[in-house]
Amino acid sequence: FISEANDIVSLITILMVDQEEKKHLFDAFEDKPDVLIFDNQYFIDRFLDVLKEDFRLLVLISMLLIFSILLVSYGRIELAIISFIPIILSWLWTVGLMGLIGIEFNIFNIIITTFIFGLGVDYSIFITSGLINRHKYGNISLTPYKMSVLLSAITTITSFGVLIFAKHPVLKSIAIVSILGITSVILITYTLLPLLFNFLISNKGKPRIMPVTLFNFTVSLNALVLFLTGSLIMTSLMPIIWVLPIKKKHKKNFVHSVICKFSWFITKANHGIKRKYINKEKLDFSKPSVIISNHQSYIDLVYLLLLSPKMIAFTNSWVYNSLFFGSIIRYADYYPVFKGLDVDFKKLEKKVKQGYSILVFPEGTRTKDGSIKRFHQGAFYIADKLNISIQPIMIHGIFECIPKSEFFLKSGTIHIKFFDKIKVKPANIEEGHTYKEQAKELTSFYRDEFEKLKKELETPKFFKKQLISQYLYKGPVLEWYLKTKIKAENNYSFYNNIVHENAKVADIGCGYGFLSLMLHYTSKNRKITGLDYDEEKIKIAKNIPHKTENLQFELVDITEEEIPDADVYIFNDVLHYIPKEIRNDILESCMDKLKQNSLIILRDADIDLRKRTFYTKYTEIQSTKIMKFNKKKYKLSYFSGQEIENLAREKGLVFNRIDQSRFTSNITYVIKKPNNEQV
């Protein structure tokens, strides 16, 4: 074919060349600039190379975009990670299987693998949503979610899998890749995703006291790595310490100093855990003593060993014989209590003469629920035989950071309180002085002091994180709403201060149960019943993992059913959802039930404060119509605080008005019988 244009003549011809001879043809014309060769196969190969390069970049961008969407959708990086892991693994598994059976990437396989990647995203999101709903409501089955995913997978595999009967190799490869990829996605999503989610919220089939978060996981891993690394380094140095030509006494003192400093370092490395001392001036290491402490966690020992290098501890068999740090423990002369108190007792006498105190946990084991267990007599026996005093120490807060059933550290504050030394009375059966009686007395002392310390420290602020943890992984909106409410309510401190610790409480319009749960945390003796007519909220409240029989939630519409008897009635932002006639009947009924040490706590908008009520109405529109946190049965009916006061005065009740809001017109009213002491 000859063409001529603009004084340029082009000669075009078609050559039929065997695949093996193409290279010779290209080489023959390589030095001829006026010759151009167009080869379809070359352009296809080059196109595939470019496509593969761009494909890797597009996959990376897609993964980052998908992870960002998961993070925004779920509101928790932990959920985004566990949803993303099956997506990545199924992708790698598919590509790996393709490599094993010799299927190369072509334009069709690239399209199919991208499609499979998208299905992995869909299936992972679908199963995660089912897991969240089950965790949120408690009685949701995963079967419908899994069945929907399975039907989708079967349909897709059937559609593409039929191509396996095609004669063309490309069509067969499409079928094989589809079958392998979708099967991989199903297997990993069905098995791994529920395991990862359950790992976050439960331990050995039981709900965790606080779910695992990325922060807690990182802190725990960091502490574990530091501890094991330090232990291994020290253990590896032990042979050198043994053979050093230094007095054994000095070498042992050095080891004890290292243990003390290392314990201090470990506690400092536990970010998020604060340590505070109470009455530390009572701690006396000028003379040896038997140091006793309640046993809340396996890290108790670390927080006590940092107090002084002149201390040895009683140890159990697995610590004494540990491969990681057993040689250090044995060299430091820690006492193997599992062998009995009379075995090697002379070693204890020797250590005491050298100025060492002995650390003992008289409960013998870690507490399961945070309470003080019965003390054994061993500490008194040792103190008497060695003629030394007992130094009582009390630990609070470690159980909340890492209880016996848990492995992951949680952030919190640890308080260590010190008491005056106690002189042990020698055992004399005739006079009634026994170690058992002294142990019983000290157990009672510890329990009383521990209750006093709990009342002082376990404020609503102390339980804030534990309250939030009960609603983690139940949806970002609920978690955001909870944090907003807690901040606005100052952790519900006002209600905790005014409600007696043994009161019977009816929290009317309890919603998701935030206030009820906080009152339950601050006093387990309160009998609290949360009432609400919103079925979804009651389902969520009932599914709080850690509550006792003293906290119950019931689906009750107070406009149609009678409110149960209680010492304290709480109407928190609920009465403006009820028409005036019904509202007054409800209030009068509660007022008639008031008796000694009973009261009504009512908070609602005062329509007399017009400017501030405008903001209140705006927030209610947000809550009921836009965000839909609250469901309304009737038209919102705001009222005057004077109405409530007049109603209370008519009943001969004491009326207190408390204005704690800066922007809204929400006023708190406390109503009780005259001359009543504050509950």
Side-chain angles (χ1 to χ4, degrees), residues 41-53 107:
Q41 185 65 45
Y42 172 80
F43 283 110
I44 291 172
D45 291 343
R46 182 57 187 149
F47 174 73
L48 281 176
D49 290 340
V50 173
L51 187 62
K52 287 178 183 178
E53 293 173 5
I107 187 170

Side-chain angles (χ1 to χ4, degrees), residues 132-152:
I132 290 173
N133 284 333
R134 186 175 67 178
H135 178 53
K136 189 175 182 178
Y137 300 110
N139 57 350
I140 302 295
S141 173
L142 276 182
T143 302
Y145 295 90
K146 288 185 174 181
M147 188 59 66
S148 299
V149 169
L150 183 60
L151 290 174
S152 171

Side-chain angles (χ1 to χ4, degrees), residues 401-420:
C401 292
I402 182 164
K404 186 174 183 177
S405 59
E406 276 288 358
F407 182 75
F408 295 99
L409 287 166
K410 282 86 177 175
S411 56
T413 301
I414 295 171
H415 287 82
I416 303 175
K417 187 173 183 178
F418 304 92
F419 298 92
D420 293 321

